[in-house]
Amino acid sequence: MKLVRFGNPGAEKPGLVDDQGRLRDLSSVIADLAPATLSRSALQRIAAIAPSTLPLVAGEPRFGVPIAGVGKFIAIGLNYVDHAGEANLPLPSEPIVFQKAITSLSGPNDDVVLPKGSKKSDWEVELGIVIGTRASYVERADALAHVAGYCIVNDVSEREYQMERGGTWDKGKGCDTFGPVGPWLVTTDEVTAPLALDLWLDVNGQRMQAGNTRTMIFDCAEIVSYVSHFITLMPGDIIATGTPPGVGMGKKPAAIYLKPGDVMTLGIEGLGTQRQRTREWPPAAGPRS
């Protein structure tokens, strides 16, 4: 299934995308797409509903983050062989784990606000894992049983804050609007090969990133298992699994960074597309869930 949340910020409704690509309203079945609806049994109950019995949604409403109540937004750094190469960094021997603030979450097509004084804001298309059931000290063989589905994440990053201002990466990763997620949560029954998905990202119509999840250093099962040995993963948590080559920081002969008015378009095979326009700080008031 392709599960969504649609509507104005702070007033999203749950929905699903049927086999013809039409949006249908799920709000008569569940109150929201939230941690309590991500267990295997809960998803099976939704899957048992004939989409044709659900109301069609007219027009082209805004999509929000496809899961309400995200508790943790975890990310993995330098997880593609070719991306580590463009960054001139050695391949990690263990996953590099950091966190993006949940206040960075935004809808897949919402504006990205460049933070005050930003000089080096960058893009990163990533495969996102959405946790469906509590995972603590899980073994690799059991890890994917804890996954509800997959989504697209744009791990927008301010490189000066991340690399040149001391401390950890988090402050370059967690700025408001720096975590577009969606458009859909695609359940695991539709993503049978998460390690063979093409990823791409364009800026102003120019292809910047192109890769495939097969070049991950640590695959999805290893990531879930590894993180669960340090952090208990809960339903609704999102893990961004790293980015392929082509980020602005790695461009030659000189790095390229985002400017106000730039448009990022990105996608992952089977998981839909995103589109964000960048704009200057300050952000608009109000929630962006």
Side-chain angles (χ1 to χ4, degrees):
M1 294 181 293
K2 296 180 176 69
L3 300 173
V4 304
R5 295 174 67 246
F6 66 94
N8 293 330
E12 292 89 349
K13 294 182 177 181
L16 65 78
V17 178
D18 67 19
D19 290 343
Q20 288 73 48
R22 297 174 298 186
L23 177 61
R24 292 184 177 270
D25 190 337
L26 262 177
S27 59
S28 64
V29 178
I30 55 174
D32 208 345
L33 284 166
T37 59
L38 296 178
S39 68
R40 189 146 298 182
S41 59
L43 292 175
Q44 287 172 344
R45 286 193 294 271
I46 297 172
I49 299 166
S52 61
T53 65
L54 300 171
L56 285 168
V57 178
E60 297 183 0
R62 168 190 173 271
F63 285 153
V65 177
I67 312 101
V70 175
K72 294 188 289 295
F73 193 3
I74 296 169
I76 307 299
L78 296 176
N79 194 35
Y80 282 69
V81 173
D82 30 15
H83 174 53
E86 73 174 348
N88 295 314
L89 294 170
L91 299 185
S93 58
E94 297 186 32
I96 296 171
V97 180
F98 61 93
Q99 297 206 38
K100 290 177 74 75
I102 59 172
T103 48
S104 73
L105 287 165
S106 62
N109 304 314
D110 293 346
D111 288 349
V112 166
V113 178
L114 303 180
K116 187 176 182 180
S118 171
K119 301 175 182 176
K120 298 182 179 181
S121 290
D122 203 349
W123 54 83
E124 293 190 10
V125 58
E126 307 201 6
L127 173 65
I129 299 170
V130 179
I131 300 299
T133 56
R134 184 180 185 275
S136 178
Y137 294 102
V138 300
E139 297 302 319
R140 175 191 167 86
D142 302 320
L144 294 186
H146 295 270
V147 174
Y150 301 90
C151 59
I152 303 170
V153 174
N154 188 354
D155 177 20
V156 186
S157 309
E158 215 298 345
R159 302 301 188 188
E160 182 189 25
Y161 299 178
Q162 178 190 358
M163 312 293 285
E164 302 172 30
R165 299 284 294 272
T168 65
W169 287 6
D170 299 52
K171 64 177 176 282
K173 298 283 192 170
C175 303
D176 290 353
T177 75
F178 268 28
V181 176
W184 314 314
L185 163 63
V186 182
T187 52
T188 55
D189 58 302
E190 290 199 20
V191 187
T192 56
L195 293 184
L197 301 176
D198 289 330
L199 308 85
W200 58 271
L201 183 145
D202 295 347
V203 178
N204 301 328
Q206 180 178 353
R207 183 58 44 94
M208 294 295 183
Q209 288 187 274
N212 189 285
T213 54
R214 69 172 60 94
T215 68
M216 281 183 176
I217 300 167
F218 307 103
D219 65 17
C220 295
E222 180 66 23
I223 288 168
V224 172
S225 174
Y226 183 87
V227 173
S228 79
H229 281 70
F230 301 93
I231 301 169
T232 296
L233 297 169
M234 299 298 291
D237 288 350
I238 299 172
I239 306 175
T241 58
T243 199
V247 299
M249 177 177 64
K251 294 298 183 185
K252 302 292 188 292
I256 302 171
Y257 295 113
L258 293 166
K259 310 177 303 300
D262 284 345
V263 175
M264 294 178 283
T265 310
L266 55 149
I268 300 179
E269 182 181 352
L271 302 184
T273 61
Q274 298 184 356
R275 182 184 186 277
Q276 299 107 30
R277 181 178 296 276
T278 61
R279 59 183 178 83
E280 290 182 300
W281 188 90
R288 295 174 309 280
S289 63

